[in-house]
């Protein structure tokens, strides 16, 4: 008799703990989904109003940044693997400013238009 009561008490405790775990998982899922919904709603509100303001402001400078803004030095792994052992960050700066530097293959190179923001 004592064993059956003990087992049933253990069974009830196990069931309560199992239900508690399920309840906590469901609550976390609901909270995550509510947080996502709030984040998406705020994004639409903020981005929607911000894009209208940005679209209305003219840009007289017509800023467009593109071109050769990338040079590999011997410090970068991919350049090192390809055999660049001589180009230093100082060389990269000189190149960007319009000065002539030595290419790793041995010839001189110079950028056509120096970067004015260096």
């Amino acid at each position: 008799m004592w064993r059956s009561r003990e087992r049933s008490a253990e069974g009830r405790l196990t069931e309560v703990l199992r239900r508690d775990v399920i309840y906590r998982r469901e609550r976390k899922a609901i909270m995550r989904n509510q947080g996502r919904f709030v984040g998406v709603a705020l994004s639409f509100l903020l981005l929607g109003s911000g894009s209208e303001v940005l679209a209305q402001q003219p840009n007289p400078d017509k800023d467009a940044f593109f071109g050769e803004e990338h040079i590999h030095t011997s410090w970068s792994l991919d350049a090192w693997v390809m055999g660049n052992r001589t180009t230093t960050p100082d060389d990269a700066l000189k190149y960007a400013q319009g000065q002539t530097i030595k290419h790793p293959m041995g010839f001189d190179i110079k950028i056509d238009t120096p970067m004015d923001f260096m």
Side-chain angles (χ1 to χ4, degrees):
M1 178 96 178
W2 172 253
R3 289 210 180 269
S4 64
R5 284 186 185 171
E6 184 178 313
R7 284 185 189 158
S8 64
E10 281 181 16
R12 284 187 296 225
L13 180 61
T14 303
E15 181 64 24
V16 168
L17 291 175
R18 187 182 67 77
R19 287 183 182 174
D20 185 54
V21 167
I22 292 171
Y23 170 77
R24 288 174 189 255
R25 284 183 190 159
E26 289 174 353
R27 184 165 171 84
K28 283 182 183 180
I30 290 169
M31 296 301 287
R32 269 195 308 264
N33 289 336
Q34 285 177 346
R36 288 180 187 145
F37 174 76
V38 170
V40 169
L42 283 176
S43 297
F44 279 122
L45 288 174
L46 293 175
L47 292 176
S49 61
S51 62
E52 293 167 2
V53 171
L54 290 176
Q56 294 172 357
Q57 296 175 352
N59 183 0
D61 295 332
K62 307 264 189 235
D63 299 328
F65 301 104
F66 59 90
E68 190 175 352
E69 297 176 2
H70 181 103
I71 186 170
H72 286 275
T73 68
S74 59
W75 289 17
S76 67
L77 179 62
D78 51 346
W80 180 264
V81 169
M82 296 302 290
N84 182 351
R85 307 284 195 275
T86 59
T87 309
T88 65
D90 290 332
D91 292 330
L93 179 62
K94 289 176 189 175
Y95 178 77
Q97 292 173 338
Q99 299 176 31
T100 303
I101 65 166
K102 273 286 188 210
H103 188 276
M105 298 291 286
F107 54 90
D108 291 340
I109 58 171
K110 182 178 177 182
I111 194 169
D112 294 333
T113 306
M115 298 179 190
D116 61 353
F117 55 87
M118 293 289 189

PDB file of all heavy atoms in Angstrom, residues 29-50:
ATOM      1  N   ALA A  29       7.840  30.706 -26.462  1.00  0.00           N
ATOM      2  CA  ALA A  29       7.531  30.817 -27.891  1.00  0.00           C
ATOM      3  C   ALA A  29       6.600  31.989 -28.148  1.00  0.00           C
ATOM      4  O   ALA A  29       6.788  32.758 -29.102  1.00  0.00           O
ATOM      5  CB  ALA A  29       6.906  29.522 -28.394  1.00  0.00           C
ATOM      6  N   ILE A  30       5.608  32.165 -27.302  1.00  0.00           N
ATOM      7  CA  ILE A  30       4.677  33.288 -27.458  1.00  0.00           C
ATOM      8  C   ILE A  30       5.417  34.608 -27.296  1.00  0.00           C
ATOM      9  O   ILE A  30       5.231  35.544 -28.081  1.00  0.00           O
ATOM     10  CB  ILE A  30       3.513  33.168 -26.443  1.00  0.00           C
ATOM     11  CG1 ILE A  30       2.610  31.997 -26.826  1.00  0.00           C
ATOM     12  CG2 ILE A  30       2.731  34.471 -26.356  1.00  0.00           C
ATOM     13  CD1 ILE A  30       1.594  31.635 -25.762  1.00  0.00           C
ATOM     14  N   MET A  31       6.286  34.697 -26.299  1.00  0.00           N
ATOM     15  CA  MET A  31       7.036  35.943 -26.059  1.00  0.00           C
ATOM     16  C   MET A  31       7.962  36.246 -27.233  1.00  0.00           C
ATOM     17  O   MET A  31       8.099  37.395 -27.644  1.00  0.00           O
ATOM     18  CB  MET A  31       7.834  35.843 -24.760  1.00  0.00           C
ATOM     19  CG  MET A  31       6.979  35.715 -23.523  1.00  0.00           C
ATOM     20  SD  MET A  31       5.851  37.094 -23.299  1.00  0.00           S
ATOM     21  CE  MET A  31       6.977  38.351 -22.793  1.00  0.00           C
ATOM     22  N   ARG A  32       8.609  35.212 -27.778  1.00  0.00           N
ATOM     23  CA  ARG A  32       9.473  35.423 -28.951  1.00  0.00           C
ATOM     24  C   ARG A  32       8.679  35.954 -30.121  1.00  0.00           C
ATOM     25  O   ARG A  32       9.083  36.890 -30.799  1.00  0.00           O
ATOM     26  CB  ARG A  32      10.155  34.105 -29.334  1.00  0.00           C
ATOM     27  CG  ARG A  32      11.483  33.885 -28.694  1.00  0.00           C
ATOM     28  CD  ARG A  32      12.242  32.768 -29.391  1.00  0.00           C
ATOM     29  NE  ARG A  32      11.476  31.539 -29.513  1.00  0.00           N
ATOM     30  CZ  ARG A  32      11.564  30.520 -28.674  1.00  0.00           C
ATOM     31  NH1 ARG A  32      12.381  30.561 -27.661  1.00  0.00           N
ATOM     32  NH2 ARG A  32      10.838  29.441 -28.856  1.00  0.00           N
ATOM     33  N   ASN A  33       7.520  35.340 -30.370  1.00  0.00           N
ATOM     34  CA  ASN A  33       6.696  35.775 -31.495  1.00  0.00           C
ATOM     35  C   ASN A  33       6.171  37.191 -31.286  1.00  0.00           C
ATOM     36  O   ASN A  33       6.108  37.982 -32.225  1.00  0.00           O
ATOM     37  CB  ASN A  33       5.544  34.806 -31.726  1.00  0.00           C
ATOM     38  CG  ASN A  33       6.023  33.484 -32.280  1.00  0.00           C
ATOM     39  OD1 ASN A  33       7.085  33.418 -32.886  1.00  0.00           O
ATOM     40  ND2 ASN A  33       5.270  32.430 -32.067  1.00  0.00           N
ATOM     41  N   GLN A  34       5.802  37.532 -30.056  1.00  0.00           N
ATOM     42  CA  GLN A  34       5.344  38.891 -29.781  1.00  0.00           C
ATOM     43  C   GLN A  34       6.482  39.877 -29.995  1.00  0.00           C
ATOM     44  O   GLN A  34       6.280  40.949 -30.556  1.00  0.00           O
ATOM     45  CB  GLN A  34       4.816  38.997 -28.342  1.00  0.00           C
ATOM     46  CG  GLN A  34       3.475  38.369 -28.154  1.00  0.00           C
ATOM     47  CD  GLN A  34       3.019  38.416 -26.704  1.00  0.00           C
ATOM     48  OE1 GLN A  34       3.799  38.689 -25.797  1.00  0.00           O
ATOM     49  NE2 GLN A  34       1.743  38.119 -26.477  1.00  0.00           N
ATOM     50  N   GLY A  35       7.696  39.517 -29.563  1.00  0.00           N
ATOM     51  CA  GLY A  35       8.848  40.397 -29.760  1.00  0.00           C
ATOM     52  C   GLY A  35       9.142  40.598 -31.230  1.00  0.00           C
ATOM     53  O   GLY A  35       9.444  41.706 -31.674  1.00  0.00           O
ATOM     54  N   ARG A  36       9.029  39.538 -32.012  1.00  0.00           N
ATOM     55  CA  ARG A  36       9.252  39.664 -33.454  1.00  0.00           C
ATOM     56  C   ARG A  36       8.204  40.564 -34.085  1.00  0.00           C
ATOM     57  O   ARG A  36       8.513  41.382 -34.933  1.00  0.00           O
ATOM     58  CB  ARG A  36       9.225  38.287 -34.115  1.00  0.00           C
ATOM     59  CG  ARG A  36      10.428  37.459 -33.811  1.00  0.00           C
ATOM     60  CD  ARG A  36      10.351  36.118 -34.493  1.00  0.00           C
ATOM     61  NE  ARG A  36      11.449  35.280 -34.033  1.00  0.00           N
ATOM     62  CZ  ARG A  36      11.360  33.986 -33.872  1.00  0.00           C
ATOM     63  NH1 ARG A  36      10.243  33.349 -34.147  1.00  0.00           N
ATOM     64  NH2 ARG A  36      12.401  33.292 -33.462  1.00  0.00           N
ATOM     65  N   PHE A  37       6.957  40.388 -33.673  1.00  0.00           N
ATOM     66  CA  PHE A  37       5.882  41.201 -34.228  1.00  0.00           C
ATOM     67  C   PHE A  37       6.111  42.674 -33.914  1.00  0.00           C
ATOM     68  O   PHE A  37       5.980  43.529 -34.782  1.00  0.00           O
ATOM     69  CB  PHE A  37       4.524  40.747 -33.680  1.00  0.00           C
ATOM     70  CG  PHE A  37       3.401  41.639 -34.112  1.00  0.00           C
ATOM     71  CD1 PHE A  37       2.916  41.560 -35.411  1.00  0.00           C
ATOM     72  CD2 PHE A  37       2.858  42.563 -33.239  1.00  0.00           C
ATOM     73  CE1 PHE A  37       1.881  42.395 -35.817  1.00  0.00           C
ATOM     74  CE2 PHE A  37       1.844  43.398 -33.642  1.00  0.00           C
ATOM     75  CZ  PHE A  37       1.351  43.318 -34.932  1.00  0.00           C
ATOM     76  N   VAL A  38       6.476  42.963 -32.676  1.00  0.00           N
ATOM     77  CA  VAL A  38       6.733  44.348 -32.286  1.00  0.00           C
ATOM     78  C   VAL A  38       7.910  44.909 -33.078  1.00  0.00           C
ATOM     79  O   VAL A  38       7.873  46.038 -33.565  1.00  0.00           O
ATOM     80  CB  VAL A  38       6.982  44.451 -30.763  1.00  0.00           C
ATOM     81  CG1 VAL A  38       7.498  45.825 -30.376  1.00  0.00           C
ATOM     82  CG2 VAL A  38       5.708  44.131 -29.999  1.00  0.00           C
ATOM     83  N   GLY A  39       8.970  44.112 -33.249  1.00  0.00           N
ATOM     84  CA  GLY A  39      10.121  44.563 -34.015  1.00  0.00           C
ATOM     85  C   GLY A  39       9.775  44.858 -35.461  1.00  0.00           C
ATOM     86  O   GLY A  39      10.178  45.872 -36.022  1.00  0.00           O
ATOM     87  N   VAL A  40       8.995  43.983 -36.075  1.00  0.00           N
ATOM     88  CA  VAL A  40       8.592  44.197 -37.471  1.00  0.00           C
ATOM     89  C   VAL A  40       7.698  45.428 -37.578  1.00  0.00           C
ATOM     90  O   VAL A  40       7.854  46.245 -38.483  1.00  0.00           O
ATOM     91  CB  VAL A  40       7.882  42.931 -38.021  1.00  0.00           C
ATOM     92  CG1 VAL A  40       7.220  43.206 -39.352  1.00  0.00           C
ATOM     93  CG2 VAL A  40       8.874  41.796 -38.141  1.00  0.00           C
ATOM     94  N   ALA A  41       6.765  45.571 -36.654  1.00  0.00           N
ATOM     95  CA  ALA A  41       5.869  46.726 -36.685  1.00  0.00           C
ATOM     96  C   ALA A  41       6.649  48.031 -36.525  1.00  0.00           C
ATOM     97  O   ALA A  41       6.415  49.002 -37.256  1.00  0.00           O
ATOM     98  CB  ALA A  41       4.816  46.602 -35.578  1.00  0.00           C
ATOM     99  N   LEU A  42       7.601  48.052 -35.596  1.00  0.00           N
ATOM    100  CA  LEU A  42       8.414  49.259 -35.414  1.00  0.00           C
ATOM    101  C   LEU A  42       9.257  49.540 -36.645  1.00  0.00           C
ATOM    102  O   LEU A  42       9.432  50.699 -37.034  1.00  0.00           O
ATOM    103  CB  LEU A  42       9.311  49.103 -34.186  1.00  0.00           C
ATOM    104  CG  LEU A  42       8.634  49.288 -32.841  1.00  0.00           C
ATOM    105  CD1 LEU A  42       9.609  49.003 -31.713  1.00  0.00           C
ATOM    106  CD2 LEU A  42       8.075  50.687 -32.702  1.00  0.00           C
ATOM    107  N   SER A  43       9.783  48.486 -37.273  1.00  0.00           N
ATOM    108  CA  SER A  43      10.578  48.683 -38.481  1.00  0.00           C
ATOM    109  C   SER A  43       9.751  49.333 -39.578  1.00  0.00           C
ATOM    110  O   SER A  43      10.205  50.266 -40.243  1.00  0.00           O
ATOM    111  CB  SER A  43      11.120  47.344 -38.987  1.00  0.00           C
ATOM    112  OG  SER A  43      11.983  46.788 -38.048  1.00  0.00           O
ATOM    113  N   PHE A  44       8.534  48.854 -39.766  1.00  0.00           N
ATOM    114  CA  PHE A  44       7.680  49.447 -40.791  1.00  0.00           C
ATOM    115  C   PHE A  44       7.371  50.904 -40.473  1.00  0.00           C
ATOM    116  O   PHE A  44       7.382  51.756 -41.352  1.00  0.00           O
ATOM    117  CB  PHE A  44       6.376  48.667 -40.939  1.00  0.00           C
ATOM    118  CG  PHE A  44       6.518  47.437 -41.783  1.00  0.00           C
ATOM    119  CD1 PHE A  44       6.211  46.197 -41.269  1.00  0.00           C
ATOM    120  CD2 PHE A  44       6.959  47.521 -43.090  1.00  0.00           C
ATOM    121  CE1 PHE A  44       6.340  45.063 -42.040  1.00  0.00           C
ATOM    122  CE2 PHE A  44       7.094  46.397 -43.875  1.00  0.00           C
ATOM    123  CZ  PHE A  44       6.789  45.167 -43.348  1.00  0.00           C
ATOM    124  N   LEU A  45       7.114  51.176 -39.205  1.00  0.00           N
ATOM    125  CA  LEU A  45       6.806  52.560 -38.828  1.00  0.00           C
ATOM    126  C   LEU A  45       8.005  53.471 -39.030  1.00  0.00           C
ATOM    127  O   LEU A  45       7.899  54.544 -39.608  1.00  0.00           O
ATOM    128  CB  LEU A  45       6.350  52.624 -37.368  1.00  0.00           C
ATOM    129  CG  LEU A  45       4.967  52.065 -37.077  1.00  0.00           C
ATOM    130  CD1 LEU A  45       4.723  52.060 -35.576  1.00  0.00           C
ATOM    131  CD2 LEU A  45       3.904  52.887 -37.778  1.00  0.00           C
ATOM    132  N   LEU A  46       9.162  53.027 -38.558  1.00  0.00           N
ATOM    133  CA  LEU A  46      10.351  53.870 -38.640  1.00  0.00           C
ATOM    134  C   LEU A  46      10.873  53.987 -40.065  1.00  0.00           C
ATOM    135  O   LEU A  46      11.203  55.073 -40.531  1.00  0.00           O
ATOM    136  CB  LEU A  46      11.446  53.312 -37.727  1.00  0.00           C
ATOM    137  CG  LEU A  46      11.143  53.382 -36.232  1.00  0.00           C
ATOM    138  CD1 LEU A  46      12.245  52.696 -35.452  1.00  0.00           C
ATOM    139  CD2 LEU A  46      10.982  54.812 -35.778  1.00  0.00           C
ATOM    140  N   LEU A  47      10.949  52.886 -40.759  1.00  0.00           N
ATOM    141  CA  LEU A  47      11.476  52.923 -42.119  1.00  0.00           C
ATOM    142  C   LEU A  47      10.508  53.589 -43.075  1.00  0.00           C
ATOM    143  O   LEU A  47      10.919  54.297 -43.989  1.00  0.00           O
ATOM    144  CB  LEU A  47      11.811  51.506 -42.605  1.00  0.00           C
ATOM    145  CG  LEU A  47      12.973  50.841 -41.894  1.00  0.00           C
ATOM    146  CD1 LEU A  47      13.148  49.423 -42.396  1.00  0.00           C
ATOM    147  CD2 LEU A  47      14.256  51.627 -42.080  1.00  0.00           C
ATOM    148  N   GLY A  48       9.237  53.384 -42.854  1.00  0.00           N
ATOM    149  CA  GLY A  48       8.253  54.015 -43.729  1.00  0.00           C
ATOM    150  C   GLY A  48       8.312  55.532 -43.642  1.00  0.00           C
ATOM    151  O   GLY A  48       8.381  56.225 -44.651  1.00  0.00           O
ATOM    152  N   SER A  49       8.353  56.069 -42.432  1.00  0.00           N
ATOM    153  CA  SER A  49       8.389  57.528 -42.289  1.00  0.00           C
ATOM    154  C   SER A  49       9.762  58.076 -42.659  1.00  0.00           C
ATOM    155  O   SER A  49       9.867  59.150 -43.233  1.00  0.00           O
ATOM    156  CB  SER A  49       8.025  57.924 -40.857  1.00  0.00           C
ATOM    157  OG  SER A  49       8.967  57.370 -39.954  1.00  0.00           O
ATOM    158  N   GLY A  50      10.829  57.337 -42.368  1.00  0.00           N
ATOM    159  CA  GLY A  50      12.174  57.819 -42.677  1.00  0.00           C
ATOM    160  C   GLY A  50      12.451  57.859 -44.160  1.00  0.00           C
ATOM    161  O   GLY A  50      13.098  58.774 -44.666  1.00  0.00           O
TER     162      GLY A  50
END
